[in-house]
Coordinates of all heavy atoms in Angstrom, one line a residue:
M1 N 136.9 107.2 95.5 CA 138.2 107.0 95.9 C 138.2 106.4 97.4 O 137.4 106.9 98.2 CB 139.0 108.3 96.0 CG 140.4 108.1 96.4 SD 141.3 109.7 96.4 CE 141.3 110.1 94.7
P2 N 138.9 105.3 97.6 CA 138.8 104.7 98.9 C 139.6 105.5 100.0 O 140.4 106.4 99.7 CB 139.5 103.3 98.7 CG 140.3 103.5 97.5 CD 139.7 104.5 96.7
R3 N 139.3 105.2 101.2 CA 139.9 105.8 102.3 C 141.4 105.4 102.4 O 141.8 104.3 102.1 CB 139.2 105.4 103.6 CG 139.7 106.1 104.9 CD 138.8 105.8 106.0 NE 139.3 106.2 107.3 CZ 139.1 107.4 107.8 NH1 138.4 108.2 107.2 NH2 139.6 107.7 109.0
S4 N 142.3 106.4 102.8 CA 143.7 106.1 103.0 C 144.0 105.0 104.0 O 143.4 105.0 105.1 CB 144.4 107.4 103.4 OG 145.7 107.2 103.7
L5 N 144.9 104.1 103.7 CA 145.3 103.1 104.6 C 146.0 103.7 105.8 O 145.9 103.1 106.9 CB 146.2 102.1 103.9 CG 145.6 101.2 102.9 CD1 146.6 100.3 102.2 CD2 144.5 100.3 103.5
K6 N 146.6 104.8 105.7 CA 147.3 105.5 106.8 C 146.3 105.9 107.9 O 146.6 105.8 109.1 CB 148.0 106.7 106.2 CG 148.9 107.3 107.3 CD 149.6 108.6 106.8 CE 149.7 108.8 105.3 NZ 150.3 110.1 105.0
K7 N 145.1 106.2 107.5 CA 144.1 106.7 108.4 C 143.4 105.5 109.1 O 142.9 105.6 110.3 CB 143.0 107.5 107.7 CG 143.4 108.8 107.2 CD 142.2 109.5 106.5 CE 142.6 110.8 105.9 NZ 141.5 111.4 105.2
G8 N 143.3 104.4 108.5 CA 142.6 103.2 109.0 C 141.1 103.2 108.7 O 140.6 104.2 108.2
P9 N 140.4 102.2 109.1 CA 139.0 102.2 108.8 C 138.2 103.2 109.7 O 138.5 103.5 110.8 CB 138.6 100.7 109.2 CG 139.6 100.3 110.2 CD 140.9 101.0 109.8
F10 N 137.1 103.7 109.1 CA 136.3 104.7 109.8 C 135.3 104.0 110.6 O 134.5 103.1 110.2 CB 135.6 105.6 108.8 CG 134.6 106.5 109.5 CD1 135.1 107.7 110.1 CD2 133.3 106.2 109.6 CE1 134.2 108.5 110.8 CE2 132.4 107.1 110.3 CZ 132.9 108.2 110.9
V11 N 135.2 104.3 111.9 CA 134.2 103.8 112.9 C 133.9 105.0 113.7 O 134.7 105.7 114.3 CB 134.8 102.7 113.8 CG1 133.7 102.2 114.7 CG2 135.3 101.5 112.9
D12 N 132.5 105.3 113.8 CA 132.1 106.4 114.7 C 132.6 106.1 116.1 O 132.5 105.0 116.6 CB 130.6 106.5 114.7 CG 130.1 107.3 113.5 OD1 130.8 108.3 113.1 OD2 128.9 107.1 113.0
D13 N 133.0 107.2 116.8 CA 133.6 107.1 118.1 C 132.6 106.5 119.1 O 133.0 105.7 119.9 CB 134.1 108.5 118.6 CG 135.3 108.9 117.8 OD1 136.0 108.1 117.3 OD2 135.5 110.2 117.7
H14 N 131.3 106.9 119.0 CA 130.4 106.5 120.0 C 130.1 105.0 119.9 O 129.9 104.2 120.8 CB 129.1 107.2 119.9 CG 128.4 107.2 118.6 ND1 127.5 106.2 118.2 CD2 128.5 108.0 117.5 CE1 127.1 106.4 117.0 NE2 127.7 107.5 116.6
L15 N 130.2 104.5 118.6 CA 130.0 103.0 118.4 C 131.2 102.2 118.8 O 131.0 101.2 119.5 CB 129.7 102.8 116.9 CG 129.3 101.4 116.5 CD1 128.1 100.9 117.2 CD2 129.2 101.3 115.0
R16 N 132.4 102.7 118.6 CA 133.6 102.1 119.0 C 133.6 102.0 120.5 O 134.0 100.9 121.1 CB 134.8 102.8 118.5 CG 136.1 102.2 118.8 CD 137.3 103.0 118.3 NE 137.2 104.4 118.4 CZ 137.4 105.1 119.5 NH1 137.7 104.5 120.6 NH2 137.3 106.4 119.5
E17 N 133.2 103.0 121.2 CA 133.2 103.0 122.7 C 132.2 102.0 123.2 O 132.5 101.3 124.2 CB 132.9 104.4 123.2 CG 134.0 105.4 123.0 CD 133.6 106.8 123.3 OE1 132.5 107.1 123.7 OE2 134.5 107.7 123.0
K18 N 131.1 101.9 122.6 CA 130.1 100.9 123.1 C 130.6 99.5 122.9 O 130.4 98.7 123.8 CB 128.8 101.1 122.2 CG 127.9 102.3 122.6 CD 126.7 102.3 121.7 CE 125.9 103.5 122.0 NZ 124.6 103.5 121.1
V19 N 131.2 99.2 121.8 CA 131.8 97.9 121.5 C 132.9 97.6 122.5 O 133.0 96.4 123.0 CB 132.2 97.7 120.1 CG1 132.9 96.4 119.9 CG2 131.0 97.8 119.2
E20 N 133.8 98.5 122.8 CA 134.8 98.3 123.8 C 134.3 98.0 125.1 O 134.8 97.1 125.8 CB 135.7 99.6 123.8 CG 136.7 99.7 122.6 CD 137.5 101.0 122.7 OE1 137.3 101.8 123.6 OE2 138.3 101.2 121.7
R21 N 133.2 98.7 125.6 CA 132.6 98.5 126.9 C 132.0 97.0 126.9 O 132.1 96.3 127.9 CB 131.5 99.5 127.2 CG 132.1 100.7 127.9 CD 131.0 101.6 128.4 NE 130.9 102.7 127.4 CZ 129.8 103.0 126.8 NH1 128.6 102.5 127.1 NH2 129.7 104.0 125.9
L22 N 131.4 96.6 125.8 CA 130.8 95.3 125.8 C 131.9 94.2 125.8 O 131.7 93.2 126.4 CB 129.9 95.1 124.5 CG 128.6 95.8 124.5 CD1 127.9 95.6 123.1 CD2 127.7 95.3 125.6
N23 N 133.0 94.4 125.1 CA 134.1 93.5 125.1 C 134.7 93.4 126.5 O 135.1 92.3 126.9 CB 135.1 93.8 124.0 CG 134.6 93.5 122.6 OD1 133.7 92.7 122.4 ND2 135.2 94.2 121.6
E24 N 134.9 94.5 127.2 CA 135.5 94.4 128.5 C 134.6 93.7 129.5 O 135.1 92.9 130.3 CB 135.7 95.9 129.0 CG 136.8 96.6 128.3 CD 136.9 98.0 128.7 OE1 136.1 98.5 129.6 OE2 137.8 98.7 128.2
S25 N 133.3 93.9 129.4 CA 132.3 93.3 130.3 C 132.0 91.8 129.9 O 131.4 91.1 130.7 CB 131.1 94.1 130.5 OG 130.4 94.1 129.3
G26 N 132.2 91.5 128.6 CA 131.8 90.2 128.1 C 130.3 90.1 127.9 O 129.8 89.0 127.7
D27 N 129.6 91.2 127.8 CA 128.2 91.2 127.6 C 127.9 91.0 126.1 O 128.6 91.4 125.2 CB 127.6 92.6 128.1 CG 126.2 92.5 128.4 OD1 125.6 91.4 128.4 OD2 125.6 93.5 128.8
K28 N 126.7 90.4 125.8 CA 126.3 90.2 124.4 C 125.0 90.8 124.1 O 124.1 90.2 123.6 CB 126.2 88.7 124.2 CG 127.5 88.0 124.2 CD 128.3 88.4 123.0 CE 129.7 87.6 123.0 NZ 130.5 88.0 121.9
R29 N 124.8 92.1 124.5 CA 123.5 92.8 124.2 C 123.5 93.3 122.8 O 124.5 93.5 122.2 CB 123.4 94.0 125.2 CG 123.0 93.6 126.6 CD 122.8 94.8 127.5 NE 124.1 95.4 127.7 CZ 124.3 96.7 127.7 NH1 123.3 97.5 127.4 NH2 125.5 97.2 127.9
V30 N 122.3 93.6 122.3 CA 122.1 94.2 121.0 C 122.5 95.7 121.1 O 122.0 96.4 121.9 CB 120.7 94.0 120.5 CG1 120.5 94.7 119.1 CG2 120.4 92.6 120.4
V31 N 123.3 96.2 120.1 CA 123.7 97.6 120.1 C 122.9 98.3 119.0 O 123.0 98.0 117.9 CB 125.3 97.7 119.8 CG1 125.7 99.1 119.7 CG2 126.1 96.9 120.8
K32 N 122.1 99.2 119.5 CA 121.3 100.0 118.5 C 122.1 101.1 118.0 O 122.7 101.9 118.7 CB 120.1 100.6 119.2 CG 119.0 101.2 118.3 CD 117.9 101.8 119.1 CE 116.9 100.7 119.4 NZ 115.6 101.3 119.9
T33 N 122.1 101.3 116.6 CA 122.9 102.3 116.0 C 122.3 102.8 114.7 O 121.5 102.2 114.1 CB 124.3 101.8 115.7 OG1 125.1 102.8 115.1 CG2 124.3 100.7 114.6
W34 N 122.6 104.1 114.5 CA 122.2 104.8 113.2 C 123.4 104.9 112.3 O 123.2 105.4 111.2 CB 121.6 106.1 113.5 CG 120.2 106.1 114.1 CD1 119.0 106.3 113.4 CD2 119.8 105.8 115.4 NE1 118.0 106.2 114.2 CE2 118.4 105.9 115.4 CE3 120.4 105.5 116.6 CZ2 117.6 105.6 116.6 CZ3 119.7 105.2 117.7 CH2 118.3 105.3 117.7
S35 N 124.5 104.5 112.7 CA 125.8 104.7 112.0 C 125.9 103.6 110.9 O 126.6 102.6 111.1 CB 127.0 104.7 112.9 OG 128.2 104.8 112.2
R36 N 125.3 103.8 109.8 CA 125.4 102.8 108.7 C 126.8 102.9 108.0 O 127.3 102.0 107.3 CB 124.4 103.1 107.6 CG 123.0 103.0 108.2 CD 121.9 103.4 107.1 NE 122.0 102.7 105.9 CZ 121.5 101.5 105.6 NH1 120.8 100.9 106.6 NH2 121.6 100.9 104.5
R37 N 127.5 104.1 108.2 CA 128.8 104.3 107.5 C 130.0 103.7 108.2 O 131.1 103.7 107.6 CB 129.0 105.8 107.3 CG 129.1 106.5 108.7 CD 129.1 108.0 108.5 NE 129.2 108.7 109.8 CZ 129.5 109.9 110.0 NH1 129.6 110.7 108.9 NH2 129.5 110.4 111.2
S38 N 129.8 103.2 109.4 CA 130.9 102.7 110.1 C 131.4 101.3 109.5 O 130.6 100.5 109.2 CB 130.6 102.4 111.6 OG 130.4 103.7 112.2
T39 N 132.7 101.2 109.5 CA 133.3 99.9 108.9 C 133.3 98.9 110.1 O 133.6 99.2 111.2 CB 134.7 100.2 108.5 OG1 134.7 101.3 107.5 CG2 135.4 99.0 107.8
I40 N 133.1 97.6 109.7 CA 133.1 96.6 110.7 C 134.6 96.2 110.9 O 135.3 95.9 110.0 CB 132.3 95.4 110.2 CG1 130.8 95.8 110.0 CG2 132.4 94.2 111.1 CD1 130.0 94.7 109.3
T41 N 135.0 96.2 112.2 CA 136.3 95.8 112.5 C 136.3 94.4 113.3 O 135.2 94.0 113.6 CB 137.0 96.9 113.5 OG1 136.2 96.9 114.7 CG2 137.0 98.2 112.8
P42 N 137.4 93.8 113.5 CA 137.5 92.5 114.2 C 136.9 92.6 115.6 O 136.4 91.5 116.1 CB 138.9 92.2 114.2 CG 139.5 92.8 113.0 CD 138.8 94.1 112.9
D43 N 136.8 93.7 116.2 CA 136.2 93.9 117.5 C 134.7 93.6 117.5 O 134.2 93.2 118.5 CB 136.5 95.3 118.1 CG 138.0 95.6 118.3 OD1 138.7 94.6 118.4 OD2 138.3 96.7 118.4
F44 N 134.1 93.8 116.4 CA 132.7 93.7 116.2 C 132.2 92.3 116.1 O 131.0 92.0 116.3 CB 132.2 94.5 115.0 CG 132.3 96.0 115.1 CD1 133.0 96.6 116.1 CD2 131.6 96.8 114.2 CE1 133.1 98.0 116.1 CE2 131.7 98.2 114.2 CZ 132.4 98.8 115.2
V45 N 133.1 91.4 115.8 CA 132.7 90.0 115.5 C 132.1 89.3 116.8 O 132.6 89.4 117.9 CB 133.9 89.1 115.1 CG1 133.6 87.7 114.9 CG2 134.5 89.7 113.8
G46 N 130.9 88.7 116.5 CA 130.2 88.1 117.6 C 129.1 88.9 118.3 O 128.4 88.4 119.1
H47 N 129.0 90.2 117.9 CA 128.0 91.1 118.5 C 126.9 91.3 117.5 O 127.0 91.1 116.3 CB 128.6 92.5 118.8 CG 129.6 92.4 119.9 ND1 129.2 92.3 121.2 CD2 130.9 92.5 119.9 CE1 130.3 92.3 122.0 NE2 131.4 92.5 121.2
T48 N 125.7 91.6 118.0 CA 124.6 91.9 117.1 C 124.3 93.4 117.2 O 124.2 94.0 118.3 CB 123.3 91.1 117.6 OG1 123.6 89.8 117.6 CG2 122.1 91.4 116.7
F49 N 124.1 94.0 116.0 CA 123.9 95.4 115.9 C 122.5 95.6 115.3 O 122.1 94.9 114.4 CB 124.9 96.1 115.0 CG 126.3 96.1 115.6 CD1 127.2 95.1 115.3 CD2 126.7 97.2 116.3 CE1 128.4 95.1 115.8 CE2 128.0 97.2 116.9 CZ 128.8 96.1 116.6
A50 N 121.7 96.6 115.9 CA 120.4 96.9 115.3 C 120.7 98.2 114.5 O 120.8 99.3 115.0 CB 119.4 97.2 116.4
V51 N 120.8 98.0 113.1 CA 121.2 99.0 112.2 C 119.9 99.7 111.7 O 119.0 98.9 111.2 CB 122.1 98.5 111.1 CG1 122.5 99.6 110.1 CG2 123.3 97.8 111.6
H52 N 119.8 101.0 111.7 CA 118.6 101.7 111.2 C 118.6 101.7 109.7 O 119.6 102.0 109.1 CB 118.6 103.1 111.8 CG 117.3 103.7 111.7 ND1 117.0 104.7 110.8 CD2 116.1 103.6 112.4 CE1 115.7 105.1 110.9 NE2 115.2 104.4 111.9
D53 N 117.4 101.3 109.1 CA 117.3 101.3 107.7 C 116.4 102.5 107.2 O 116.1 102.5 106.0 CB 116.8 100.0 107.2 CG 115.3 99.8 107.5 OD1 114.7 100.6 108.3 OD2 114.8 98.8 107.0
G54 N 116.1 103.4 108.0 CA 115.3 104.5 107.6 C 113.9 104.5 108.3 O 113.3 105.6 108.3
R55 N 113.5 103.4 108.7 CA 112.2 103.3 109.4 C 112.2 102.4 110.6 O 111.4 102.5 111.5 CB 111.1 102.9 108.4 CG 111.3 101.6 107.8 CD 110.4 101.3 106.6 NE 110.8 100.0 106.0 CZ 110.0 99.1 105.6 NH1 108.7 99.2 105.8 NH2 110.5 98.0 105.1
K56 N 113.1 101.4 110.6 CA 113.2 100.5 111.7 C 114.6 100.0 111.9 O 115.5 100.3 111.0 CB 112.3 99.3 111.5 CG 112.6 98.4 110.4 CD 111.6 97.3 110.2 CE 112.0 96.3 109.1 NZ 112.2 96.9 107.8
H57 N 114.9 99.3 113.0 CA 116.2 98.8 113.2 C 116.3 97.3 112.8 O 115.5 96.5 113.3 CB 116.6 99.0 114.7 CG 117.0 100.4 115.1 ND1 116.0 101.3 115.4 CD2 118.2 101.0 115.1 CE1 116.6 102.5 115.7 NE2 117.9 102.3 115.4
V58 N 117.2 97.0 112.0 CA 117.3 95.6 111.5 C 118.5 95.0 112.2 O 119.6 95.5 112.2 CB 117.7 95.6 109.9 CG1 117.9 94.3 109.4 CG2 116.6 96.4 109.2
P59 N 118.2 93.8 112.9 CA 119.3 93.1 113.6 C 120.3 92.5 112.6 O 119.9 91.8 111.7 CB 118.6 92.0 114.4 CG 117.3 91.8 113.7 CD 116.9 93.1 113.0
V60 N 121.6 92.8 112.9 CA 122.7 92.3 112.0 C 123.7 91.6 113.0 O 124.3 92.3 113.8 CB 123.4 93.4 111.2 CG1 124.6 92.9 110.5 CG2 122.4 94.1 110.3
Y61 N 123.8 90.3 112.8 CA 124.9 89.5 113.6 C 126.1 89.6 112.8 O 126.2 89.2 111.6 CB 124.4 88.1 113.9 CG 125.4 87.3 114.6 CD1 125.6 87.5 116.0 CD2 126.3 86.4 114.0 CE1 126.6 86.8 116.7 CE2 127.2 85.7 114.7 CZ 127.4 85.9 116.0 OH 128.3 85.2 116.7
V62 N 127.2 90.0 113.4 CA 128.5 90.2 112.7 C 129.3 88.9 112.8 O 129.6 88.4 113.9 CB 129.3 91.4 113.3 CG1 130.6 91.5 112.6 CG2 128.5 92.7 113.1
S63 N 129.8 88.4 111.6 CA 130.6 87.3 111.5 C 132.0 87.7 111.0 O 132.1 88.9 110.5 CB 130.0 86.2 110.7 OG 129.9 86.6 109.3
E64 N 132.9 86.8 110.9 CA 134.3 87.2 110.5 C 134.3 87.6 109.0 O 135.1 88.4 108.6 CB 135.2 86.0 110.7 CG 135.6 85.8 112.1 CD 136.7 84.7 112.3 OE1 137.5 84.5 111.4 OE2 136.7 84.1 113.4
A65 N 133.4 87.0 108.2 CA 133.4 87.3 106.8 C 132.9 88.8 106.5 O 133.2 89.3 105.4 CB 132.4 86.4 106.1
M66 N 132.3 89.4 107.5 CA 131.8 90.8 107.3 C 132.9 91.9 107.6 O 132.7 93.0 107.3 CB 130.6 91.0 108.2 CG 129.4 90.2 107.9 SD 128.2 90.6 109.1 CE 126.8 89.6 108.5
V67 N 134.0 91.5 108.1 CA 135.1 92.5 108.5 C 135.5 93.2 107.3 O 135.8 92.6 106.2 CB 136.2 91.8 109.2 CG1 137.4 92.7 109.5 CG2 135.8 91.1 110.5
G68 N 135.6 94.5 107.4 CA 136.0 95.4 106.3 C 134.8 96.0 105.5 O 135.0 96.9 104.7
H69 N 133.6 95.4 105.7 CA 132.4 96.0 105.0 C 131.8 97.0 105.9 O 132.2 97.2 107.1 CB 131.4 94.9 104.7 CG 131.9 93.9 103.7 ND1 131.7 94.1 102.4 CD2 132.6 92.8 103.8 CE1 132.2 93.1 101.7 NE2 132.8 92.3 102.5
K70 N 130.8 97.8 105.4 CA 130.1 98.8 106.2 C 128.8 98.1 106.8 O 128.3 97.2 106.3 CB 129.7 99.9 105.3 CG 130.8 100.6 104.5 CD 131.6 101.5 105.4 CE 132.7 102.2 104.6 NZ 133.5 103.0 105.5
L71 N 128.4 98.7 107.9 CA 127.2 98.2 108.6 C 126.0 98.3 107.7 O 125.1 97.5 107.7 CB 127.0 98.9 109.9 CG 127.8 98.4 111.1 CD1 127.6 99.3 112.3 CD2 127.4 96.9 111.5
G72 N 125.9 99.4 107.0 CA 124.7 99.7 106.2 C 124.5 98.7 105.0 O 123.4 98.6 104.5
E73 N 125.6 98.0 104.7 CA 125.4 97.0 103.6 C 124.5 95.8 103.9 O 124.0 95.2 103.1 CB 126.8 96.4 103.2 CG 127.7 97.4 102.6 CD 129.1 96.8 102.2 OE1 129.1 95.6 101.7 OE2 130.1 97.4 102.5
F74 N 124.3 95.6 105.2 CA 123.6 94.4 105.7 C 122.2 94.8 106.2 O 121.5 94.0 106.7 CB 124.4 93.7 106.8 CG 125.7 93.3 106.3 CD1 126.8 94.1 106.7 CD2 125.9 92.3 105.5 CE1 128.1 93.7 106.2 CE2 127.2 91.9 105.0 CZ 128.3 92.6 105.4
A75 N 121.8 96.1 106.0 CA 120.4 96.5 106.3 C 119.9 97.3 105.2 O 120.0 98.5 105.1 CB 120.5 97.4 107.6
P76 N 119.2 96.6 104.2 CA 118.8 97.2 103.0 C 117.7 98.3 103.3 O 116.9 98.1 104.2 CB 118.2 96.1 102.1 CG 118.0 95.0 103.1 CD 118.9 95.2 104.2
T77 N 117.7 99.4 102.5 CA 116.8 100.5 102.8 C 115.6 100.4 101.9 O 114.6 101.1 102.1 CB 117.5 101.8 102.5 OG1 118.0 101.8 101.1 CG2 118.7 102.1 103.4
R78 N 115.6 99.6 100.9 CA 114.5 99.5 100.0 C 113.9 98.0 100.0 O 114.7 97.1 100.0 CB 114.9 99.9 98.5 CG 115.2 101.3 98.4 CD 115.7 101.6 97.0 NE 115.9 103.0 96.9 CZ 117.1 103.6 97.0 NH1 118.1 102.8 97.4 NH2 117.3 104.9 96.9
T79 N 112.6 97.9 99.9 CA 112.0 96.6 99.8 C 111.7 96.3 98.4 O 111.0 97.0 97.7 CB 110.7 96.6 100.6 OG1 111.0 97.0 101.9 CG2 110.1 95.2 100.6
F80 N 112.2 95.1 97.9 CA 112.0 94.7 96.5 C 110.6 94.1 96.3 O 110.3 93.2 97.0 CB 113.1 93.7 96.0 CG 112.8 93.2 94.7 CD1 113.1 94.0 93.6 CD2 112.3 91.9 94.5 CE1 112.9 93.5 92.3 CE2 112.1 91.5 93.2 CZ 112.4 92.2 92.1
K81 N 109.8 94.7 95.4 CA 108.5 94.1 95.2 C 108.5 93.3 93.9 O 108.3 92.1 94.0 CB 107.5 95.3 95.0 CG 107.4 96.2 96.1 CD 106.5 95.7 97.2 CE 106.3 96.9 98.2 NZ 105.7 96.6 99.4
Y82 N 108.8 93.9 92.8 CA 108.9 93.2 91.5 C 109.5 94.2 90.5 O 109.5 95.4 90.7 CB 107.5 92.7 91.0 CG 106.5 93.9 90.8 CD1 106.3 94.5 89.6 CD2 105.7 94.3 91.9 CE1 105.5 95.5 89.4 CE2 104.8 95.3 91.7 CZ 104.7 95.9 90.5 OH 103.8 96.9 90.3
H83 N 110.0 93.7 89.4 CA 110.6 94.5 88.3 C 109.5 95.2 87.6 O 108.4 94.7 87.4 CB 111.4 93.6 87.4 CG 112.7 93.1 88.0 ND1 113.7 94.0 88.3 CD2 113.0 91.9 88.3 CE1 114.7 93.2 88.8 NE2 114.3 92.0 88.9
A84 N 109.8 96.4 87.1 CA 108.8 97.2 86.4 C 108.5 96.4 85.0 O 109.4 95.9 84.4 CB 109.3 98.6 86.1
G85 N 107.2 96.4 84.6 CA 106.9 95.7 83.4 C 106.6 94.2 83.6 O 106.1 93.6 82.6
Q86 N 106.8 93.7 84.7 CA 106.6 92.3 84.9 C 105.2 92.1 85.5 O 104.7 92.9 86.3 CB 107.6 91.6 85.9 CG 108.9 91.3 85.3 CD 109.7 90.6 86.3 OE1 109.5 90.6 87.5 NE2 110.7 89.9 85.8
E87 N 104.5 91.0 85.2 CA 103.2 90.7 85.7 C 103.4 90.2 87.2 O 104.4 89.5 87.5 CB 102.6 89.6 84.9 CG 102.4 89.9 83.5 CD 100.9 90.4 83.2 OE1 100.1 90.1 84.1 OE2 100.7 91.0 82.2
R88 N 102.5 90.6 88.0 CA 102.5 90.1 89.4 C 101.8 88.8 89.4 O 100.6 88.7 89.5 CB 101.9 91.1 90.4 CG 102.7 92.2 90.7 CD 102.2 92.8 92.0 NE 102.2 94.3 91.8 CZ 101.8 95.1 92.8 NH1 101.5 94.6 94.0 NH2 101.7 96.4 92.6
T89 N 102.5 87.7 89.4 CA 101.9 86.4 89.5 C 102.2 85.7 90.8 O 103.3 85.8 91.3 CB 102.3 85.4 88.3 OG1 103.8 85.3 88.4 CG2 102.0 86.0 87.0
S90 N 101.2 85.1 91.4 CA 101.5 84.4 92.6 C 102.0 83.0 92.3 O 101.4 82.2 91.6 CB 100.2 84.3 93.4 OG 99.2 83.6 92.7
R91 N 103.1 82.7 92.9 CA 103.8 81.4 92.7 C 103.5 80.5 93.8 O 103.7 80.8 95.0 CB 105.3 81.5 92.5 CG 105.6 82.4 91.3 CD 107.1 82.6 91.3 NE 107.6 81.8 90.1 CZ 108.8 81.7 89.8 NH1 109.7 82.4 90.5 NH2 109.2 81.0 88.8
R92 N 103.0 79.3 93.5 CA 102.7 78.4 94.6 C 103.3 77.1 94.4 O 103.7 76.6 93.4 CB 101.2 78.1 94.7 CG 100.5 79.4 95.2 CD 99.1 79.1 95.5 NE 98.5 80.4 95.9 CZ 97.2 80.6 96.1 NH1 96.4 79.6 95.8 NH2 96.7 81.7 96.5

């Protein structure tokens, strides 16, 4: 079930405060975060977030097309190797 429109999008308070400070100062530093569940709002556009994927921080540059999605959608947690049952062939 989706979140109520009355409540608005969920953004962790500490992340929202960091972005507000960056917007006020006009700074374009990378924001390191573990909050994969936070929704991307229009304030985030143009900033780069280092989203934790479980072992490292993956840089994610936010564009207008990402608004409304979650930060975790752009930092995959699993590395795809190959499908089960398939031969591992090197393609050149």
Side-chain angles (χ1 to χ4, degrees):
M1 182 179 298
R3 184 173 168 91
S4 170
L5 289 175
K6 189 184 339 178
K7 293 180 185 178
F10 175 80
V11 180
D12 273 329
D13 291 333
H14 59 87
L15 185 61
R16 183 180 39 78
E17 291 169 4
K18 285 181 185 178
V19 172
E20 286 176 358
R21 273 188 262 126
L22 286 176
N23 285 339
E24 288 172 3
S25 66
D27 203 4
K28 292 291 182 185
R29 286 183 290 134
V30 176
V31 179
K32 188 182 278 192
T33 184
W34 282 260
S35 178
R36 299 173 56 84
R37 63 187 180 170
S38 292
T39 305
I40 298 172
T41 61
D43 297 340
F44 290 15
V45 174
H47 292 288
T48 303
F49 294 89
V51 183
H52 196 255
D53 72 349
R55 59 190 174 139
K56 64 184 184 302
H57 286 86
V58 179
V60 176
Y61 178 77
V62 177
S63 64
E64 287 186 27
M66 297 178 177
V67 173
H69 292 270
K70 304 284 185 181
L71 278 173
E73 293 180 44
F74 304 103
T77 58
R78 294 178 176 91
T79 306
F80 175 75
K81 304 275 188 190
Y82 60 93
H83 289 291
Q86 282 186 340
E87 299 262 343
R88 285 201 224 181
T89 58
S90 61
R91 299 177 107 178
R92 291 185 181 171

